[in-house]
Amino acid sequence: MSFYLYFKRLWYSLSYRRSKRVRQILFIFGIISLILIFYLIKKTEKCWLDYYRSRLFCFVLTNQENLENRGRATYETWGHRCGRFILITRLNSSRSYTIFDNEQINPFEENQLPIQYIPTLPNETYSHLSDKVRETLLFLYKVYPNYDWYLKADDDTYIIIENLLRFLISTIKRLPRPILYGYRFREDYYVSGGSGYIVTREGLNLFGSYMNDNSTYSLCNSTMEDMMIGLCFQRIFSFASPEQTKDLILVGETIDNQGRERFHPLTFRVHFNGPSNKTKREWIHFRAFHHTLFGYEALSETTISFHYTSPAEMYEIDSFLYDIRQFDKQICQI
Protein backbone atom coordinates (compact mmCIF):
# COMPACT_ATOMS: atom_id res chain seq x y z
CA MET A 1 0.00 0.00 0.00
CA SER A 2 2.82 2.41 0.88
CA PHE A 3 4.47 1.62 -2.44
CA TYR A 4 1.24 2.49 -4.24
CA LEU A 5 0.79 5.74 -2.32
CA TYR A 6 4.38 6.70 -3.08
CA PHE A 7 3.89 6.36 -6.83
CA LYS A 8 0.53 8.11 -6.62
CA ARG A 9 2.07 11.08 -4.84
CA LEU A 10 4.95 11.10 -7.31
CA TRP A 11 2.54 11.09 -10.21
CA TYR A 12 0.48 13.98 -8.78
CA SER A 13 3.66 15.91 -8.03
CA LEU A 14 4.92 15.52 -11.59
CA SER A 15 1.47 16.34 -12.97
CA TYR A 16 1.28 19.51 -10.86
CA ARG A 17 4.74 20.62 -11.91
CA ARG A 18 3.91 19.84 -15.54
CA SER A 19 0.60 21.70 -15.42
CA LYS A 20 2.23 24.65 -13.67
CA ARG A 21 4.89 24.74 -16.36
CA VAL A 22 2.24 24.50 -19.07
CA ARG A 23 0.28 27.35 -17.48
CA GLN A 24 3.42 29.51 -17.41
CA ILE A 25 4.13 28.74 -21.07
CA LEU A 26 0.51 29.47 -22.03
CA PHE A 27 0.57 32.73 -20.08
CA ILE A 28 3.77 33.90 -21.81
CA PHE A 29 2.38 32.77 -25.18
CA GLY A 30 -0.84 34.70 -24.51
CA ILE A 31 1.07 37.89 -23.68
CA ILE A 32 3.18 37.57 -26.83
CA SER A 33 0.03 36.90 -28.89
CA LEU A 34 -1.72 40.00 -27.52
CA ILE A 35 1.30 42.17 -28.30
CA LEU A 36 1.47 40.73 -31.81
CA ILE A 37 -2.27 41.22 -32.38
CA PHE A 38 -2.07 44.82 -31.15
CA TYR A 39 0.89 45.46 -33.49
CA LEU A 40 -0.94 43.94 -36.46
CA ILE A 41 -4.09 45.96 -35.72
CA LYS A 42 -2.11 49.21 -35.60
CA LYS A 43 -0.25 48.30 -38.78
CA THR A 44 -3.48 47.32 -40.54
CA GLU A 45 -5.15 50.55 -39.39
CA LYS A 46 -2.25 52.58 -40.80
CA CYS A 47 -2.38 50.73 -44.13
CA TRP A 48 -6.16 51.14 -44.14
CA LEU A 49 -5.87 54.91 -43.61
CA ASP A 50 -3.11 55.19 -46.20
CA TYR A 51 -5.32 53.43 -48.73
CA TYR A 52 -8.12 55.95 -48.30
CA ARG A 53 -5.58 58.77 -48.31
CA SER A 54 -4.65 57.65 -51.82
CA ARG A 55 -8.30 58.16 -52.83
CA LEU A 56 -8.27 61.87 -51.87
CA PHE A 57 -7.40 64.52 -54.46
CA CYS A 58 -6.75 68.03 -53.10
CA PHE A 59 -6.57 71.22 -55.15
CA VAL A 60 -5.96 74.72 -53.84
CA LEU A 61 -6.92 77.91 -55.66
CA THR A 62 -4.15 80.50 -55.58
CA ASN A 63 -2.43 83.05 -57.82
CA GLN A 64 1.13 83.81 -58.80
CA GLU A 65 1.54 86.59 -56.23
CA ASN A 66 0.66 84.19 -53.41
CA LEU A 67 2.58 81.12 -54.56
CA GLU A 68 5.67 81.64 -52.43
CA ASN A 69 3.78 82.49 -49.24
CA ARG A 70 0.27 81.08 -49.11
CA GLY A 71 0.72 78.41 -51.76
CA ARG A 72 3.94 77.11 -50.27
CA ALA A 73 2.48 77.14 -46.75
CA THR A 74 -0.51 75.00 -47.77
CA TYR A 75 1.73 72.47 -49.49
CA GLU A 76 4.40 72.28 -46.79
CA THR A 77 1.88 71.93 -43.96
CA TRP A 78 -1.26 69.97 -44.79
CA GLY A 79 -1.14 69.61 -48.58
CA HIS A 80 1.50 66.90 -48.77
CA ARG A 81 -0.73 64.63 -46.64
CA CYS A 82 -3.29 64.32 -49.46
CA GLY A 83 -3.22 61.43 -51.88
CA ARG A 84 -2.49 64.01 -54.57
CA PHE A 85 -2.16 67.76 -54.17
CA ILE A 86 -2.00 70.52 -56.78
CA LEU A 87 -1.99 74.31 -56.83
CA ILE A 88 -4.26 75.95 -59.38
CA THR A 89 -3.07 79.21 -60.91
CA ARG A 90 -2.41 80.79 -64.27
CA LEU A 91 1.23 81.84 -64.42
CA ASN A 92 2.60 84.83 -66.29
CA SER A 93 5.75 84.48 -68.39
CA SER A 94 7.52 87.15 -66.30
CA ARG A 95 8.39 84.62 -63.58
CA SER A 96 9.82 81.13 -63.86
CA TYR A 97 8.19 78.12 -62.21
CA THR A 98 8.25 74.43 -62.91
CA ILE A 99 4.79 73.39 -64.04
CA PHE A 100 3.91 69.74 -63.65
CA ASP A 101 1.84 68.27 -66.43
CA ASN A 102 -0.61 65.59 -65.33
CA GLU A 103 1.15 62.40 -64.21
CA GLN A 104 4.54 64.13 -64.10
CA ILE A 105 3.46 65.97 -60.98
CA ASN A 106 5.44 63.54 -58.77
CA PRO A 107 8.13 63.25 -57.61
CA PHE A 108 9.12 66.78 -56.62
CA GLU A 109 12.57 68.22 -56.39
CA GLU A 110 13.48 70.29 -53.36
CA ASN A 111 11.60 73.60 -53.06
CA GLN A 112 9.40 72.87 -56.07
CA LEU A 113 5.66 73.45 -55.89
CA PRO A 114 3.06 71.16 -57.51
CA ILE A 115 1.50 73.64 -59.93
CA GLN A 116 -0.91 71.98 -62.33
CA TYR A 117 -0.99 73.16 -65.92
CA ILE A 118 -4.57 73.75 -67.07
CA PRO A 119 -4.64 75.46 -70.48
CA THR A 120 -8.21 76.74 -70.19
CA LEU A 121 -7.85 78.71 -66.93
CA PRO A 122 -9.33 82.24 -67.10
CA ASN A 123 -7.70 85.46 -65.92
CA GLU A 124 -6.60 85.63 -62.28
CA THR A 125 -9.33 87.97 -61.04
CA TYR A 126 -12.00 87.45 -58.41
CA SER A 127 -14.74 87.99 -60.99
CA HIS A 128 -13.46 84.92 -62.85
CA LEU A 129 -13.17 82.72 -59.75
CA SER A 130 -16.25 80.67 -60.62
CA ASP A 131 -14.91 80.08 -64.12
CA LYS A 132 -11.60 79.00 -62.60
CA VAL A 133 -13.32 76.39 -60.43
CA ARG A 134 -15.43 75.21 -63.34
CA GLU A 135 -12.40 74.75 -65.62
CA THR A 136 -10.53 72.96 -62.85
CA LEU A 137 -13.35 70.49 -62.22
CA LEU A 138 -13.75 69.84 -65.96
CA PHE A 139 -10.00 69.22 -66.18
CA LEU A 140 -10.06 66.81 -63.22
CA TYR A 141 -13.02 65.01 -64.78
CA LYS A 142 -10.96 64.35 -67.91
CA VAL A 143 -7.48 63.80 -66.45
CA TYR A 144 -7.97 62.57 -62.86
CA PRO A 145 -11.38 60.84 -62.83
CA ASN A 146 -10.53 57.88 -60.61
CA TYR A 147 -10.35 59.43 -57.14
CA ASP A 148 -13.19 59.01 -54.67
CA TRP A 149 -13.12 62.52 -53.18
CA TYR A 150 -12.00 65.92 -54.48
CA LEU A 151 -11.18 68.60 -51.92
CA LYS A 152 -11.30 72.22 -53.01
CA ALA A 153 -9.63 74.71 -50.66
CA ASP A 154 -8.35 78.28 -50.77
CA ASP A 155 -4.73 79.21 -50.12
CA ASP A 156 -5.72 80.56 -46.69
CA THR A 157 -7.55 77.40 -45.57
CA TYR A 158 -5.97 74.94 -43.15
CA ILE A 159 -7.14 71.32 -43.41
CA ILE A 160 -6.59 68.53 -40.88
CA ILE A 161 -6.33 65.71 -43.39
CA GLU A 162 -6.55 62.82 -40.92
CA ASN A 163 -9.86 64.12 -39.53
CA LEU A 164 -11.13 64.68 -43.06
CA LEU A 165 -10.28 61.11 -44.03
CA ARG A 166 -11.96 59.68 -40.92
CA PHE A 167 -15.08 61.67 -41.72
CA LEU A 168 -15.12 60.63 -45.38
CA ILE A 169 -14.64 56.98 -44.48
CA SER A 170 -17.65 57.24 -42.16
CA THR A 171 -19.80 58.42 -45.10
CA ILE A 172 -19.06 55.52 -47.43
CA LYS A 173 -22.20 53.56 -46.51
CA ARG A 174 -24.55 56.55 -46.35
CA LEU A 175 -27.76 56.25 -48.33
CA PRO A 176 -28.78 58.35 -50.11
CA ARG A 177 -25.23 59.42 -51.01
CA PRO A 178 -24.45 63.17 -50.86
CA ILE A 179 -22.21 64.58 -53.60
CA LEU A 180 -21.15 67.71 -51.67
CA TYR A 181 -19.79 68.13 -48.14
CA GLY A 182 -18.79 71.29 -46.27
CA TYR A 183 -20.06 74.06 -44.00
CA ARG A 184 -23.77 74.25 -44.77
CA PHE A 185 -25.71 77.46 -45.35
CA ARG A 186 -29.38 77.87 -44.57
CA GLU A 187 -30.24 77.76 -48.29
CA ASP A 188 -29.05 74.13 -48.12
CA TYR A 189 -28.00 73.82 -51.74
CA TYR A 190 -24.41 74.98 -51.36
CA VAL A 191 -21.58 75.02 -48.83
CA SER A 192 -18.85 77.48 -47.88
CA GLY A 193 -15.94 77.69 -50.28
CA GLY A 194 -13.63 79.29 -47.72
CA SER A 195 -13.73 76.38 -45.28
CA GLY A 196 -13.13 73.93 -48.10
CA TYR A 197 -15.59 71.46 -49.57
CA ILE A 198 -15.62 67.92 -50.90
CA VAL A 199 -17.05 66.88 -54.25
CA THR A 200 -17.47 63.11 -54.52
CA ARG A 201 -16.64 61.09 -57.61
CA GLU A 202 -20.35 60.88 -58.47
CA GLY A 203 -20.58 64.66 -58.17
CA LEU A 204 -17.55 65.20 -60.39
CA ASN A 205 -18.97 62.86 -63.01
CA LEU A 206 -22.26 64.76 -63.06
CA PHE A 207 -20.51 68.14 -63.21
CA GLY A 208 -18.19 67.03 -65.99
CA SER A 209 -21.04 65.51 -67.99
CA TYR A 210 -23.26 68.61 -67.98
CA MET A 211 -21.19 71.72 -67.23
CA ASN A 212 -18.94 71.34 -70.25
CA ASP A 213 -21.72 73.04 -72.16
CA ASN A 214 -21.45 76.84 -71.96
CA SER A 215 -25.18 77.44 -72.37
CA THR A 216 -25.97 75.08 -69.51
CA TYR A 217 -23.27 76.65 -67.35
CA SER A 218 -24.65 80.13 -67.99
CA LEU A 219 -27.91 79.09 -66.30
CA CYS A 220 -26.17 78.54 -62.96
CA ASN A 221 -23.10 80.77 -63.05
CA SER A 222 -22.52 83.12 -60.12
CA THR A 223 -19.83 85.57 -59.03
CA MET A 224 -19.37 83.43 -55.88
CA GLU A 225 -17.78 80.10 -56.74
CA ASP A 226 -19.28 78.16 -53.84
CA MET A 227 -22.77 79.35 -54.75
CA MET A 228 -22.06 78.48 -58.40
CA ILE A 229 -21.23 74.90 -57.43
CA GLY A 230 -24.51 74.53 -55.54
CA LEU A 231 -26.60 76.18 -58.24
CA CYS A 232 -25.06 74.07 -60.98
CA PHE A 233 -25.61 70.85 -59.05
CA GLN A 234 -29.20 71.94 -58.43
CA ARG A 235 -29.60 72.50 -62.15
CA ILE A 236 -28.06 69.11 -62.93
CA PHE A 237 -30.45 67.35 -60.54
CA SER A 238 -33.38 69.05 -62.24
CA PHE A 239 -32.71 67.69 -65.71
CA ALA A 240 -30.51 64.61 -65.20
CA SER A 241 -32.13 61.22 -65.70
CA PRO A 242 -33.42 59.39 -62.62
CA GLU A 243 -30.86 56.68 -63.26
CA GLN A 244 -28.01 59.18 -63.04
CA THR A 245 -29.16 60.64 -59.72
CA LYS A 246 -30.43 57.41 -58.18
CA ASP A 247 -29.57 57.21 -54.46
CA LEU A 248 -27.91 60.66 -54.64
CA ILE A 249 -28.67 63.89 -52.75
CA LEU A 250 -27.01 67.27 -53.05
CA VAL A 251 -25.55 68.27 -49.64
CA GLY A 252 -24.46 65.94 -46.86
CA GLU A 253 -24.39 66.49 -43.08
CA THR A 254 -20.98 67.29 -41.58
CA ILE A 255 -21.63 68.09 -37.90
CA ASP A 256 -20.58 65.57 -35.25
CA ASN A 257 -22.83 63.65 -32.83
CA GLN A 258 -22.84 66.61 -30.40
CA GLY A 259 -23.97 69.05 -33.10
CA ARG A 260 -20.56 70.72 -33.40
CA GLU A 261 -19.23 71.90 -36.75
CA ARG A 262 -16.27 70.24 -38.45
CA PHE A 263 -15.81 72.77 -41.27
CA HIS A 264 -15.22 76.35 -40.08
CA PRO A 265 -15.57 79.30 -42.51
CA LEU A 266 -13.84 81.78 -40.16
CA THR A 267 -10.62 81.79 -38.14
CA PHE A 268 -10.06 79.63 -35.08
CA ARG A 269 -10.06 82.74 -32.86
CA VAL A 270 -13.47 83.89 -34.09
CA HIS A 271 -15.04 80.46 -33.70
CA PHE A 272 -13.50 80.09 -30.25
CA ASN A 273 -13.96 83.61 -28.87
CA GLY A 274 -16.89 84.83 -30.97
CA PRO A 275 -16.98 87.94 -33.20
CA SER A 276 -15.13 90.95 -31.81
CA ASN A 277 -18.23 93.12 -32.17
CA LYS A 278 -20.73 91.40 -29.90
CA THR A 279 -23.63 93.67 -30.85
CA LYS A 280 -23.29 93.48 -34.62
CA ARG A 281 -24.96 90.52 -36.17
CA GLU A 282 -22.42 89.11 -38.64
CA TRP A 283 -23.47 86.89 -41.54
CA ILE A 284 -22.54 83.75 -39.61
CA HIS A 285 -25.39 84.46 -37.15
CA PHE A 286 -28.14 84.22 -39.76
CA ARG A 287 -26.64 82.38 -42.76
CA ALA A 288 -25.66 79.11 -41.10
CA PHE A 289 -27.79 76.00 -41.59
CA HIS A 290 -27.27 74.98 -37.97
CA HIS A 291 -27.49 77.09 -34.85
CA THR A 292 -24.27 79.09 -34.62
CA LEU A 293 -22.20 78.38 -31.52
CA PHE A 294 -18.94 79.82 -30.29
CA GLY A 295 -16.40 78.60 -27.78
CA TYR A 296 -15.83 74.94 -26.96
CA GLU A 297 -19.30 74.07 -28.24
CA ALA A 298 -18.36 75.33 -31.70
CA LEU A 299 -15.33 73.11 -32.19
CA SER A 300 -15.74 69.44 -32.91
CA GLU A 301 -13.09 67.09 -31.58
CA THR A 302 -12.83 65.96 -35.19
CA THR A 303 -12.58 69.47 -36.65
CA ILE A 304 -11.49 69.47 -40.30
CA SER A 305 -10.82 73.05 -41.38
CA PHE A 306 -10.40 76.76 -40.59
CA HIS A 307 -10.48 79.68 -43.02
CA TYR A 308 -8.57 82.98 -43.16
CA THR A 309 -5.40 81.31 -41.89
CA SER A 310 -2.17 83.18 -42.62
CA PRO A 311 0.98 81.30 -43.70
CA ALA A 312 2.57 81.89 -40.27
CA GLU A 313 -0.55 80.52 -38.53
CA MET A 314 -0.51 77.46 -40.80
CA TYR A 315 3.01 76.57 -39.70
CA GLU A 316 2.06 77.20 -36.06
CA ILE A 317 -1.05 75.02 -36.20
CA ASP A 318 0.87 72.31 -38.03
CA SER A 319 3.57 72.28 -35.39
CA PHE A 320 1.05 72.05 -32.54
CA LEU A 321 -0.73 69.15 -34.26
CA TYR A 322 2.20 67.09 -35.51
CA ASP A 323 5.40 68.09 -33.68
CA ILE A 324 4.19 68.28 -30.08
CA ARG A 325 3.28 65.03 -28.35
CA GLN A 326 1.38 64.55 -25.09
CA PHE A 327 3.25 61.65 -23.55
CA ASP A 328 1.32 61.24 -20.28
CA LYS A 329 -2.45 61.31 -20.65
CA GLN A 330 -3.10 59.89 -17.16
CA ILE A 331 -4.78 62.26 -14.68
CA CYS A 332 -3.35 61.92 -11.19
CA GLN A 333 -5.97 62.44 -8.50
CA ILE A 334 -4.87 63.22 -4.94
Side-chain angles (χ1 to χ4, degrees):
M1 179 64 70
S2 61
F3 184 74
Y4 170 75
L5 290 176
Y6 170 77
F7 275 103
K8 189 175 182 181
R9 289 170 183 169
L10 180 63
W11 170 257
Y12 280 122
S13 176
L14 292 174
S15 299
Y16 174 76
R17 291 174 185 174
R18 190 183 299 112
S19 62
K20 183 178 180 181
R21 180 79 172 176
V22 169
R23 286 197 300 270
Q24 289 174 342
I25 293 173
L26 289 175
F27 178 76
I28 295 173
F29 178 77
I31 294 296
I32 294 174
S33 299
L34 288 175
I35 294 174
L36 183 60
I37 291 171
F38 178 77
Y39 170 77
L40 291 175
I41 289 174
K42 295 298 290 184
K43 186 176 181 181
T44 302
E45 183 180 8
K46 184 177 184 300
C47 295
W48 173 65
L49 193 62
D50 285 343
Y51 167 75
Y52 286 107
R53 186 191 308 275
S54 70
R55 311 307 305 149
L56 175 64
F57 192 106
C58 305
F59 65 96
V60 167
L61 304 184
T62 187
N63 55 58
Q64 184 166 307
E65 289 68 29
N66 289 329
L67 273 177
E68 287 301 333
N69 44 53
R70 292 184 177 185
R72 184 170 295 280
T74 57
Y75 174 62
E76 291 182 346
T77 55
W78 62 267
H80 68 276
R81 299 187 180 98
C82 299
R84 185 176 287 273
F85 175 89
I86 58 175
L87 294 165
I88 306 297
T89 183
R90 180 176 179 175
L91 297 179
N92 299 320
S93 58
S94 57
R95 295 181 63 180
S96 175
Y97 282 97
T98 300
I99 302 177
F100 296 91
D101 190 1
N102 304 344
E103 294 303 325
Q104 298 175 1
I105 198 169
N106 281 320
F108 305 113
E109 296 181 7
E110 187 176 1
N111 295 324
Q112 287 186 324
L113 292 175
I115 305 166
Q116 177 66 60
Y117 173 67
I118 301 179
T120 56
L121 282 184
N123 295 327
E124 294 284 307
T125 58
Y126 185 80
S127 60
H128 289 92
L129 187 58
S130 293
D131 297 334
K132 185 176 182 178
V133 173
R134 177 213 181 192
E135 293 300 330
T136 300
L137 291 177
L138 292 178
F139 178 84
L140 298 181
Y141 171 70
K142 294 177 182 177
V143 180
Y144 301 110
N146 297 320
Y147 289 82
D148 292 330
W149 305 290
Y150 298 83
L151 167 68
K152 174 268 168 188
D154 293 340
D155 57 11
D156 59 349
T157 306
Y158 187 89
I159 306 290
I160 304 175
I161 292 296
E162 291 78 7
N163 287 356
L164 174 61
L165 289 171
R166 293 284 182 178
F167 167 73
L168 292 175
I169 292 168
S170 72
T171 67
I172 290 176
K173 295 184 179 180
R174 283 190 185 182
L175 282 176
R177 299 189 302 276
I179 60 172
L180 191 63
Y181 290 105
Y183 180 85
R184 300 173 69 180
F185 289 115
R186 65 179 183 182
E187 292 85 354
D188 202 28
Y189 66 84
Y190 77 106
V191 295
S192 169
S195 58
Y197 55 79
I198 289 288
V199 177
T200 66
R201 183 192 295 194
E202 294 94 338
L204 184 69
N205 289 339
L206 287 172
F207 193 92
S209 299
Y210 288 95
M211 289 302 136
N212 194 38
D213 181 70
N214 290 330
S215 60
T216 303
Y217 173 62
S218 65
L219 299 175
C220 57
N221 191 10
S222 170
T223 55
M224 294 187 292
E225 56 90 10
D226 48 9
M227 185 175 288
M228 177 275 293
I229 290 293
L231 288 171
C232 287
F233 276 129
Q234 255 194 341
R235 180 70 61 175
I236 290 170
F237 270 70
S238 68
F239 52 64
S241 67
E243 188 65 30
Q244 286 180 301
T245 58
K246 182 181 178 181
D247 295 329
L248 297 179
I249 58 174
L250 182 50
V251 180
E253 188 58 86
T254 56
I255 59 173
D256 66 12
N257 294 333
Q258 284 73 45
R260 298 171 297 187
E261 297 283 356
R262 289 187 172 98
F263 291 83
H264 300 284
L266 300 176
T267 66
F268 170 80
R269 288 185 179 88
V270 172
H271 285 290
F272 187 73
N273 297 321
S276 56
N277 189 337
K278 305 297 182 182
T279 60
K280 182 180 179 182
R281 290 186 61 80
E282 304 283 351
W283 64 265
I284 196 169
H285 289 278
F286 55 86
R287 293 291 308 284
F289 182 83
H290 298 286
H291 177 59
T292 301
L293 300 172
F294 299 102
Y296 288 106
E297 294 180 335
L299 305 174
S300 171
E301 293 178 354
T302 54
T303 283
I304 291 171
S305 68
F306 292 103
H307 192 206
Y308 300 121
T309 310
S310 69
E313 290 169 334
M314 286 195 186
Y315 288 109
E316 291 169 1
I317 293 173
D318 206 67
S319 181
F320 273 112
L321 289 175
Y322 299 97
D323 295 337
I324 299 175
R325 292 291 183 268
Q326 184 180 358
F327 288 99
D328 188 3
K329 295 185 178 180
Q330 298 298 323
I331 300 176
C332 299
Q333 296 181 352
I334 300 176

